[in-house]
Amino acid sequence: MKIVFLDSAIINPGDISWDGMQRLGSLEVRKRTSKAEAAEVIGDAEAVFTDSFAIDRELMEACPSLKFIGISATGFNHVDLEAAKELGIAVANVPAYAAEAVAQHAVALLLAVTNKINIYNEAVCDGEWQQSRDYTFIKAPLTLLAGKSIGIIGYGDIGSKVAQIADALGMKVNIYSRDKEAAIGSNVVSLNCPLTEENRGMVNHDFIAKMKEGAILINTARGGLVDEAALAEALKSGKLSGAGLDVLAQEPPANSPLVGLKNCIITPHIGFIPLETRRVVIETCEKNLASFIDGGKLNRLV
């Protein structure tokens, strides 16, 4: 079997072995593939893996040998499932692999906002603590999370783990699906839900107006959930005291109004990036393909 991985640069930049996949067939691994060259690259391959590369009906029809599409992620909106089903192409993904990692990152962003980690590290590096007359140096206020409330929007694998960590920190957990008003009105609101057409831009002016004064927004889900102009306005006015974001509407960002705001911490979509997590992805991709070869349907979407 000929196997092609179209875009491995992020999920496996070279720190994970491909041995398991190579045992299943002749493997070609590409860091990136352009849309223009995709059909030629796939050629007569029977199995193709994609991380974020879009595989549409046109590409499937241009590659008649294609029998299996493996997605090295949980999300599958970049693969036309309807076309795959009609063309008899199996599609499998990697469900819930990053729950622990993304939950950890969500809380890391929250702690960075509440404990002003960046501000204090920069102050020490700039020599401000060294010039202090006291043993400590106070530049910005810190926030105690114990006793505060957190609203979890999206109480799935990731959201439930964020809730567990928040509970361990002494926070009161409010779940959006059970009590929307309490969740939105919490001291912290954490977005952990998938992006759909129904909830696109849900964190807008109206949503923010219902949030508690000085609340914190954490988003490790999808950037499209947030109206960035509305969030930037709320951060500048003080309506919200801070935000911790691992995702933006456009990635990488071009003209996001959030980049550079002092009370907005942004990381470049790295919540899923720990080696241990990515190793699970590659191993699951191998198992999915092996299952298909054996006539099974492990993690099949189609």
Side-chain angles (χ1 to χ4, degrees):
M1 170 179 282
K2 181 180 177 181
I3 309 165
V4 177
F5 204 122
L6 295 173
D7 54 341
S8 68
I10 301 301
I11 207 67
N12 185 5
D15 52 359
I16 303 172
S17 171
W18 292 108
D19 288 352
M21 192 80 73
Q22 289 171 334
R23 284 192 288 269
L24 299 175
S26 173
L27 175 65
E28 178 185 356
V29 177
R30 297 173 59 87
K31 290 189 179 300
R32 298 172 185 83
T33 300
S34 69
K35 184 176 178 59
E37 63 182 344
E40 182 179 353
V41 167
I42 295 172
D44 59 353
E46 296 173 81
V48 167
F49 283 90
T50 172
D51 183 29
S52 60
F53 185 89
I55 300 182
D56 56 17
R57 179 184 295 273
E58 181 181 359
L59 182 55
M60 294 181 203
E61 291 177 341
C63 304
S65 296
L66 191 58
K67 297 294 184 290
F68 176 89
I69 297 173
I71 302 172
S72 61
T74 301
F76 49 84
N77 59 300
H78 56 302
V79 174
D80 189 334
L81 297 185
E82 182 178 344
K85 184 175 182 179
E86 291 178 11
L87 295 169
I89 301 172
V91 182
N93 71 338
V94 183
Y97 73 93
E100 291 88 354
V102 176
Q104 175 181 311
H105 196 69
V107 177
L109 286 169
L110 174 57
L111 292 171
V113 172
T114 59
N115 286 58
K116 308 294 192 299
I117 301 299
N118 291 352
I119 291 174
Y120 278 100
N121 179 63
E122 290 174 6
V124 173
C125 292
D126 291 342
E128 293 184 56
W129 186 21
Q130 294 86 323
Q131 297 171 18
S132 174
R133 296 175 60 185
D134 303 306
Y135 67 90
T136 189
F137 168 71
I138 301 173
K139 185 170 185 177
L142 307 189
T143 301
L144 182 66
L145 290 174
K148 301 293 194 303
S149 57
I150 181 169
I152 307 291
I153 300 181
Y155 196 65
D157 292 314
I158 298 173
S160 60
K161 291 188 182 300
V162 172
Q164 289 175 14
I165 301 171
D167 180 69
L169 291 172
M171 302 185 74
K172 181 181 187 304
V173 176
N174 296 314
I175 302 169
Y176 183 78
S177 58
R178 301 175 188 174
D179 190 337
K180 292 184 179 180
E181 186 175 336
I184 295 174
S186 297
N187 298 105
V188 179
V189 173
S190 179
L191 303 180
N192 306 108
C193 56
L195 175 65
T196 66
E197 287 308 311
E198 289 71 28
N199 65 17
R200 184 178 295 277
M202 67 178 292
V203 181
N204 52 25
H205 286 96
D206 291 340
F207 184 103
I208 293 171
K210 298 175 185 176
M211 292 178 69
K212 183 185 289 288
E213 290 291 324
I216 296 168
L217 178 73
I218 302 297
N219 187 9
T220 53
R222 288 292 182 266
L225 294 167
V226 176
D227 178 335
E228 294 189 351
L231 177 56
E233 181 180 316
L235 290 169
K236 290 176 182 177
S237 70
K239 165 63 179 178
L240 299 185
S241 64
L245 314 172
D246 188 45
V247 289
L248 291 177
Q250 181 180 344
E251 298 173 346
N255 299 299
S256 174
L258 298 168
V259 175
L261 295 184
K262 292 183 178 180
N263 54 349
C264 184
I265 294 177
I266 302 173
T267 52
H269 204 144
I270 57 171
F272 69 99
I273 217 69
L275 173 61
E276 297 87 347
T277 303
R278 292 183 293 105
R279 186 176 285 129
V280 170
V281 173
I282 299 303
E283 291 173 353
T284 305
C285 284
E286 295 166 3
K287 292 176 182 177
N288 288 348
L289 180 55
S291 173
F292 170 75
I293 293 172
D294 292 339
K297 295 186 176 183
L298 182 63
N299 296 320
R300 285 275 291 276
L301 299 167
V302 173

